[in-house]
Amino acid sequence: MKLLTLNFLTCARKTCKSAPSSFPLHPREAELEVVQADVNLAFLKNILPRLMWGELRTITGELGLPTLPDTAPERSALFTAAAAVSETTTPGVDPEAIDAPEHPAPVEEPEETPTQTAIDLHRILLETCIKEGKLVCGNCGHEYAVKEGVANFLLPGHLV
Amino acid sequence: MSRPEDTLPPDLFYNDTESRKYTTSSRIQKIQSDMTHRALALLQLRSPSLILDVGCGSGLSGEILSNDAEEGTPGGPHVWIGFDISASMLGVALEKEVEGDLFLADAGQGVPFRPGTFDAAISISAVQWLCNAETSEESPAGRLSRFFNGLYASLRRGGRAVCQFYPKNDLQKKMVSSAAVKAGFGAGLLEDDMGTKNAKTYLVLTVGGGEMDGDITGVVRGMDGVDVHDDRRRIKNRKGEDKKGSKAWIMRKKEQMESKGKVVKTNSKYTGRKRRIAF
């Protein structure tokens, strides 16, 4: 389960729908893994305004990942024109701290190149996955088990 | 046509053997891939988007979503999140190492995402399973409405959803589309190979707002070989209708009463005649 998905998932119970604390689900006893994927700059630009940055920070904090900057990066900070590839790094995000091999090579696009900020964001959202553990609703306390990266959101009849 | 949904609930029907059979059959692969491409054409995505795959199964449709634009996926590669009720199917998807995120959930219990999450949603051969209820506590209509309400909320404004399904009869077709309309979608049915054994029904759903054309008639505009049958009732222009108390109104009411079998006075030259002012 990618952290991107976790930034959108809420509790499946009907009674939790109206409660603000049903989002985000809190990971417990989580075992993380990093799955390599290609950087998709256009997707990152698309998804950035929809992210709940505060909740993402809470989740990364709970998972023991390095703290993210206070505010979400600007859309313009994600890419540079191919002519001037600058070495912009986000303060605070240290991708090496995640136990993983080196960065994937930045995708060479004709007009835009992802910056370090984009690569870090990509690493957090799309490459960091919860492999085992559980997700706990902040409102009702229901635990959703995660096994082999697949969360179980089936509710027993009395909870539907 | 075989109807597996009449035999067993989906989580039991798609066990390990059945899931493997489904995923390795080249015939089913071909049909699923054709239908996914058709659904993608209806979604008209232009840039990499976040897509929900309802009833993703073993990821046959998801694999196509993660393809590049060069490999035939418009606007790709997309990032997708899929759920299915069958653990065996998801197991097959895990073995295939599909790129999307998977989780186990029942669409009839709702869609557990916060509002405005997805750009689009796709569902290939899944919605007909919602027309069956396995316990006495739930009903097909209830399951459908829970699903469509959840789906409507989780799509962003201007988003679209395409659900391909196999309706058993016209009644089921109507039940599904009216549940979608009740949830707030602009809904329309697109049928390929109508009247043949290979008929495929696509429910095209649009969420209001955004820059796109309102409903299915806007979606299929410019597509080849599509006939539009608009069965929506036009709201009559009420302005020109009879004023209460006028002669035409009285005549209509008398006709109505007569058709109900009530005793109505016969019409004469005095019926509904205007009374002149005495002075």
Side-chain angles (χ1 to χ4, degrees):
Chain A
M1 172 131 307
K2 298 182 181 94
L3 291 196
L4 174 77
T5 315
L6 202 54
N7 199 249
F8 290 111
L9 269 177
T10 62
C11 183
R13 285 179 69 173
K14 203 177 182 180
T15 44
C16 285
K17 274 272 177 283
S18 51
S21 53
S22 68
F23 173 80
L25 298 175
H26 303 284
R28 295 279 145 78
E29 300 160 27
E31 216 176 277
L32 295 181
E33 70 168 345
V34 170
V35 181
Q36 298 279 332
D38 295 335
V39 179
N40 190 340
L41 186 58
F43 175 74
L44 284 178
K45 279 194 274 182
N46 177 4
I47 203 74
L48 188 62
R50 265 179 278 169
L51 290 177
M52 297 277 254
W53 194 259
E55 279 75 4
L56 189 64
R57 286 193 69 203
T58 324
I59 290 169
T60 49
E62 283 171 12
L63 287 171
L65 297 173
T67 40
L68 298 174
D70 288 336
T71 50
E74 292 291 315
R75 191 183 145 92
S76 53
L78 291 181
F79 56 90
T80 46
V85 184
S86 59
E87 282 296 312
T88 19
T89 44
T90 333
V93 178
D94 182 14
E96 294 304 322
I98 303 169
D99 188 23
E102 73 291 328
H103 298 305
V107 185
E108 286 299 323
E109 280 185 37
E111 63 289 326
E112 287 166 356
T113 321
T115 57
Q116 192 59 45
T117 318
I119 294 168
D120 292 344
L121 193 64
H122 171 78
R123 155 126 315 187
I124 293 281
L125 290 176
L126 292 152
E127 292 190 338
T128 315
C129 302
I130 297 177
K131 196 156 185 283
E132 304 279 335
K134 46 192 153 179
L135 305 172
V136 184
C137 169
N139 185 45
C140 66
H142 188 76
E143 291 179 351
Y144 300 94
V146 184
K147 278 178 191 153
E148 294 183 58
V150 175
N152 182 355
F153 271 74
L154 283 179
L155 291 172
H158 64 282
L159 287 181
V160 173
Chain B
M1 186 195 253
S2 67
R3 289 253 159 224
E5 59 269 24
D6 288 346
T7 56
L8 275 174
D11 44 338
L12 298 179
F13 178 79
Y14 287 115
N15 53 18
D16 289 344
T17 43
E18 206 57 46
S19 303
R20 201 158 300 280
K21 237 184 349 188
Y22 191 90
T23 314
T24 49
S25 155
S26 60
R27 184 181 144 270
I28 290 178
Q29 278 174 5
K30 167 89 173 44
I31 296 174
Q32 295 279 328
S33 127
D34 287 351
M35 292 193 297
T36 310
H37 281 294
R38 180 70 160 158
L40 273 169
L42 291 167
L43 287 177
Q44 293 169 358
L45 297 165
R46 287 183 207 97
S47 59
S49 313
L50 186 63
I51 302 182
L52 175 70
D53 189 345
V54 181
C56 60
S58 50
L60 287 174
S61 44
E63 281 172 334
I64 295 170
L65 297 179
S66 341
N67 279 351
D68 287 339
E70 291 92 60
E71 291 169 281
T73 304
H78 302 293
V79 174
W80 58 279
I81 298 172
F83 67 84
D84 202 282
I85 194 173
S86 159
S88 309
M89 277 287 198
L90 293 178
V92 177
L94 276 184
E95 276 174 35
K96 290 201 298 182
E97 294 182 345
V98 293
E99 281 176 50
D101 237 351
L102 305 166
F103 66 98
L104 189 69
D106 180 5
Q109 291 179 349
V111 180
F113 285 95
R114 63 181 167 88
T117 300
F118 297 102
D119 294 299
I122 181 172
S123 161
I124 304 293
S125 316
V127 177
Q128 73 270 12
W129 289 97
L130 292 177
C131 298
N132 294 38
E134 303 307 333
T135 61
S136 56
E137 280 125 56
E138 48 194 23
S139 63
R143 285 168 62 76
L144 280 169
S145 96
R146 224 113 168 230
F147 166 61
F148 283 117
N149 282 326
L151 187 66
Y152 185 78
S154 68
L155 285 172
R156 69 169 176 81
R157 301 306 95 178
R160 276 185 193 169
V162 175
C163 307
Q164 181 277 328
F165 68 110
Y166 293 113
K168 201 190 286 178
N169 44 35
D170 281 351
L171 197 74
Q172 230 176 48
K173 226 185 268 179
K174 202 157 174 239
M175 185 164 81
V176 170
S177 50
S178 66
V181 170
K182 256 186 210 155
F185 283 111
L189 289 169
L190 177 87
E191 284 189 48
D192 281 350
D193 305 322
M194 223 164 129
T196 67
K197 260 167 90 180
N198 299 329
K200 310 225 164 45
T201 312
Y202 300 83
L203 181 65
V204 183
L205 305 172
T206 48
V207 180
E211 69 284 5
M212 284 187 277
D213 268 324
D215 57 359
I216 186 172
T217 48
V219 175
V220 298
R221 190 171 299 143
M223 279 187 162
D224 292 333
V226 179
D227 300 327
V228 177
H229 293 275
D230 199 342
D231 285 342
R232 280 174 295 189
R233 265 177 291 163
R234 300 254 167 255
I235 299 164
K236 274 188 217 146
N237 189 11
R238 293 239 164 221
K239 263 184 198 161
E241 225 172 52
D242 320 328
K243 208 176 150 203
K244 191 174 177 183
S246 68
K247 183 162 184 179
W249 181 82
I250 292 173
M251 295 309 244
R252 189 161 60 80
K253 285 288 173 191
K254 285 183 86 170
E255 250 171 60
Q256 264 177 16
M257 288 299 139
E258 208 168 4
S259 65
K260 279 186 187 168
K262 300 254 170 76
V263 179
V264 178
K265 286 271 159 76
T266 45
N267 294 335
S268 71
K269 65 173 181 177
Y270 302 107
T271 308
R273 198 172 69 167
K274 196 164 175 146
R275 287 173 195 228
R276 302 277 162 219
I277 303 161
F279 298 102

